[in-house]
Amino acid sequence: MNRKTFADFFRNRLSDNPARYLWVILSVFSLFGIIEIPYSTTLQQPQWLLYIYIVVIALFKGFVLTALIMAASPKKWLLSVVWLLTGLYMLFCLINFLSFVLYGFGITHRLITILSQTNLREIREFTQDLCYQIFSAKFILCTGGSAVLIWMVCMFLRTIRRCLYLGILYTTSVVGLLILILCFASFNSRAALIMGIRIPKNIVNTINENREYQKILDSKRPLPYADKVESTRQPLTIVMIVGESAHRRHLQLYGYPLPTTPQLWSMRDSLFVFSDAIASSQSTAGNLERILSLKTDDETCGDWYKFPLVYDIFNAAGFKTFWLSNQERKGIVSDASGVMADGADVVNYVSIESSEDAYAYRYDDVLLPYVKEALDDKAEAKFIGIHLLGSHSDYRNRYPKDEEIFTSEDILRQLPRPWLDKKKAAIVAQYDNSIHFTDKLLGEILKQCSAMPTPAILLYFSDHGEMVYDTDDFKGRNSQCVEVPFMVYANYSFRIKHEDKIHKLSHAIALPISTATIPFALLTLADIRYPLYDASNDFLSGRYKIRARMVDEKIWIYETVEIKKRDSRQTIKNFTIDN
């Protein structure tokens, strides 16, 4: 068959009715393979535009697959190979679609990890649940409606003339190819667009990440003196919310001129707002090592496994423990937080499993149903840790479009800084919007804690902050970014039954503290006695030691001046709290 004859054969076969039907069906399955893209919070295009993108990309993929099948048809062995590969592609696209529709995530690190850790019992339970979902009336109606729509499209394509059909086919395919190239140039997670790349990439990265994670897990040691942990075991709920990248100077609660925290501001009389809290590191990993263990800020980084872990202590004290996170458990470079929180009774990474799933991030309000479920749990004593995505860059990806409260004009009007132009002011506005969205989330959780009939206390602080053109023409992290918000809320029942702790909190809000001291204060709030508890690191203790705080194992460069000022005024020199 010469080139001209083959071209005519190829063109004729492409316009046959079976080829038209095949193009539609393969395009639909290709759409299934990228169906989650419009729901990504990391993509800034309008959702309707993303829908158009994935539809034309799917049409292009359908054309390529149809062309391959038509081109391979003269040779039976080659046609068999192409059909086999196409069948596998369609199967994986269908799995991606069902997983996303039923569970909220497609073929990602999270799904690969779940499958790799699943046993036969869980497979049976999963299959039963899947069958229940698939054979539900809603799913059947949706499937039937979609099948009718596909049939109508096929019937339409069947009736139009060959030249018109080929024009539609070639035009949509060229546009799809151009948009695919555009998406490759602009999307962070390019592998999400190509199923043949996504699956092996996710499998390889998951294997590598699990290997690194296992190395960290092997470092974990049993809790020392576990048999000597004592607790009053009274009804109590402690909620610890760890924010992300929120600097306190951007909170209305700390004097910021824009109303970034209306929920917290409305409850300010019920909050213990700490005025001088700093993070122990400029990084999330460095802070979580000290937030989730009894490791102090003057210890070296990376040796967290030498210290008692907070979750192990609370477990030994009889608390039911929860770790709810909208961040990743692990990534190509794993930190220890996943292992340190892995000892919780309930562990749920509600959005993504790995930093490699960046396009699958969700807004922090995805945590709310899981928080409510934890607060409603029947256990008398509960410790609930919540890790937000907060104000992690890129800030504009941390809140929905309808939560865009502040604009560059607001920033330029309220913050007349000579180094701010409209572009930089827009970034500040995005950061402030992320703070506002976190405030809305905190307001919801505070309301739930307030309504609880049993004692409940909530702590919120950020792992570190970021400088967003605050003091000069600089955006990022420096020595000042560790100034974080820290506040505590106690509901009515807690205030009535624990007046001594309320007294201690009210007297501690002016103290200079490091977030590394919070785990020691948690033990006091929970009435847990543990041999390795150190009162000098507990700001709720009368023996709390005021000293130079350290950031990343070095004395904070702003610390000496601050302490001298306080000592000269004798505001903390004579500080005492009754035990």
Side-chain angles (χ1 to χ4, degrees):
M1 187 182 292
N2 59 40
R3 184 177 300 176
K4 184 176 183 302
T5 305
F6 179 78
D8 291 339
F9 168 80
F10 183 68
R11 186 168 56 253
N12 290 333
R13 290 296 304 272
L14 272 180
S15 59
D16 287 346
N17 283 336
R20 299 185 188 195
Y21 305 155
L22 186 60
W23 177 51
V24 173
I25 292 170
L26 290 175
S27 297
V28 170
F29 275 89
S30 296
L31 184 63
F32 288 170
I34 51 177
I35 192 67
E36 69 272 34
I37 296 296
Y39 298 90
S40 172
T41 61
T42 63
L43 303 176
Q44 290 304 304
Q45 294 88 344
Q47 194 174 57
W48 63 266
L49 183 60
L50 291 174
Y51 275 121
I52 294 176
Y53 281 5
I54 66 170
V55 167
V56 292
I57 289 174
L59 291 172
F60 166 70
K61 289 183 177 182
F63 164 73
V64 171
L65 292 171
T66 303
L68 285 173
I69 292 171
M70 295 300 107
S73 60
K75 296 183 179 180
K76 290 185 178 181
W77 70 268
L78 183 59
L79 181 61
S80 299
V81 172
V82 172
W83 266 117
L84 175 63
L85 295 176
T86 303
L88 288 173
Y89 169 78
M90 294 171 69
L91 175 62
F92 286 126
C93 287
L94 182 61
I95 291 172
N96 185 79
F97 175 75
L98 291 174
S99 178
F100 177 73
V101 170
L102 298 177
Y103 304 107
F105 54 89
I107 296 179
T108 59
H109 277 64
R110 185 176 185 182
L111 181 62
I112 300 297
T113 300
I114 290 171
L115 293 176
S116 68
Q117 296 174 350
T118 299
N119 53 44
L120 290 176
R121 177 185 58 79
E122 290 170 330
I123 290 175
R124 286 195 298 269
E125 293 174 353
F126 172 79
T127 304
Q128 292 172 357
D129 180 61
L130 182 62
C131 290
Y132 174 79
Q133 297 276 4
I134 289 177
F135 291 107
S136 66
K138 180 180 179 181
F139 194 85
I140 291 173
L141 285 173
C142 290
T143 304
S146 300
V148 170
L149 181 61
I150 293 170
W151 177 80
M152 292 174 64
V153 172
C154 289
M155 291 301 99
F156 168 75
L157 293 177
R158 180 183 180 180
T159 59
I160 64 176
R161 299 178 63 180
R162 173 183 166 185
C163 59
L164 177 58
Y165 168 74
L166 289 176
I168 294 173
L169 179 67
Y170 294 147
T171 301
T172 54
S173 299
V174 170
V175 173
L177 175 60
L178 293 175
I179 290 180
L180 183 61
I181 294 171
L182 173 66
C183 292
F184 262 103
S186 59
F187 282 17
N188 290 329
S189 299
R190 298 173 183 85
L193 297 167
I194 308 295
M195 186 64 68
I197 299 175
R198 187 204 301 196
I199 293 175
K201 180 176 183 288
N202 279 338
I203 291 174
V204 170
N205 285 342
T206 300
I207 291 172
N208 291 335
E209 291 174 10
N210 285 344
R211 187 180 295 120
E212 292 299 314
Y213 190 78
Q214 188 61 44
K215 288 180 182 178
I216 300 174
L217 187 61
D218 291 341
S219 303
K220 186 177 178 180
R221 301 175 180 178
L223 178 68
Y225 306 109
D227 58 333
K228 291 183 169 56
V229 177
E230 298 178 2
S231 172
T232 57
R233 298 181 182 272
Q234 295 180 357
L236 175 64
T237 297
I238 298 179
V239 181
M240 179 182 74
I241 303 178
V242 183
E244 171 70 50
S245 301
H247 198 295
R248 67 170 175 254
R249 70 174 65 215
H250 281 262
L251 272 70
Q252 175 189 9
L253 197 63
Y254 283 87
Y256 192 60
L258 289 171
T260 54
T261 54
Q263 298 295 324
L264 296 178
W265 181 257
S266 67
M267 300 182 68
R268 62 190 181 277
D269 293 337
S270 301
L271 300 176
F272 299 96
V273 181
F274 288 73
S275 59
D276 191 8
I278 68 167
S280 60
S281 174
Q282 294 183 31
S283 71
T284 297
N287 279 297
L288 286 179
E289 283 190 4
R290 296 173 174 90
I291 293 167
L292 298 177
S293 77
L294 297 189
K295 177 178 175 176
T296 58
D297 62 351
D298 58 351
E299 304 288 350
T300 57
C301 187
D303 58 350
W304 58 271
Y305 52 85
K306 297 179 181 178
F307 300 88
L309 301 183
V310 169
Y311 274 96
D312 289 348
I313 297 173
F314 273 86
N315 287 337
F319 279 71
K320 183 169 183 179
T321 53
F322 300 78
W323 177 248
L324 310 175
S325 176
N326 195 30
Q327 296 205 24
E328 66 274 9
R329 184 196 300 260
K330 52 185 181 288
I332 292 299
V333 180
S334 295
D335 61 51
S337 62
V339 172
M340 298 174 76
D342 208 42
D345 296 315
V346 177
V347 178
N348 203 328
Y349 290 84
V350 303
S351 183
I352 65 172
E353 179 70 21
S354 164
S355 58
E356 290 298 291
D357 286 340
Y359 76 95
Y361 275 122
R362 297 291 181 262
Y363 303 122
D364 278 332
D365 57 3
V366 72
L367 285 159
L368 287 175
Y370 301 93
V371 173
K372 186 179 188 308
E373 185 178 345
L375 291 173
D376 291 342
D377 191 274
K378 299 302 181 183
E380 285 195 341
K382 294 175 290 189
F383 175 65
I384 305 169
I386 303 169
H387 194 192
L388 305 180
L389 200 51
S391 300
H392 194 291
S393 60
D394 188 349
Y395 316 130
R396 60 184 178 174
N397 294 332
R398 303 301 159 232
Y399 53 89
K401 193 71 175 176
D402 58 1
E403 292 291 340
E404 191 173 282
I405 308 299
F406 307 110
T407 64
S408 57
E409 288 77 14
D410 298 322
I411 301 302
L412 292 172
R413 183 171 58 253
Q414 292 290 339
L415 304 173
R417 298 167 180 168
W419 55 86
L420 281 181
D421 56 25
K422 189 167 184 177
K423 183 178 180 181
K424 293 172 183 175
I427 295 174
V428 178
Q430 292 164 9
Y431 186 72
D432 288 347
N433 284 326
S434 70
I435 298 288
H436 188 277
F437 190 63
T438 296
D439 172 75
K440 183 177 181 180
L441 179 78
L442 292 174
E444 291 293 324
I445 300 175
L446 284 168
K447 289 176 185 176
Q448 294 178 48
C449 290
S450 175
M452 294 181 68
T454 56
I457 189 164
L458 180 147
L459 299 83
Y460 166 74
F461 55 92
S462 186
D463 58 350
H464 57 80
E466 289 201 7
M467 305 301 293
V468 190
Y469 307 113
D470 293 300
T471 57
D472 53 24
D473 191 11
F474 172 76
K475 173 185 171 294
R477 302 181 197 176
N478 58 19
S479 299
Q480 288 179 290
C481 80
V482 296
E483 297 173 324
V484 295
F486 175 36
M487 60 205 68
V488 178
Y489 168 79
N491 71 357
Y492 178 78
S493 180
F494 187 96
R495 290 174 179 269
I496 295 299
K497 296 182 180 180
H498 300 282
E499 291 185 9
D500 58 327
K501 295 182 180 65
I502 296 300
H503 178 70
K504 292 177 181 181
L505 283 166
S506 63
H507 282 77
I509 57 175
L511 287 174
I513 68 170
S514 165
T515 53
T517 62
I518 290 177
F520 296 92
L522 286 173
L523 299 188
T524 295
L525 292 173
D527 283 322
I528 294 175
R529 290 175 291 281
Y530 180 58
L532 297 183
Y533 161 82
D534 183 357
S536 69
N537 285 312
D538 179 4
F539 55 83
L540 297 181
S541 164
R543 297 190 295 276
Y544 178 58
K545 182 180 179 182
I546 305 282
R547 54 176 176 77
R549 293 166 291 180
M550 305 187 78
V551 176
D552 292 318
E553 296 82 53
K554 295 178 182 179
I555 294 178
W556 189 37
I557 63 172
Y558 296 98
E559 184 67 287
T560 303
V561 174
E562 291 296 314
I563 285 184
K564 284 182 178 178
K565 286 180 181 179
R566 289 194 185 93
D567 284 344
S568 65
R569 294 196 304 267
Q570 294 186 345
T571 57
I572 62 175
K573 189 175 180 181
N574 300 321
F575 175 82
T576 59
I577 294 180
D578 297 332
N579 281 323

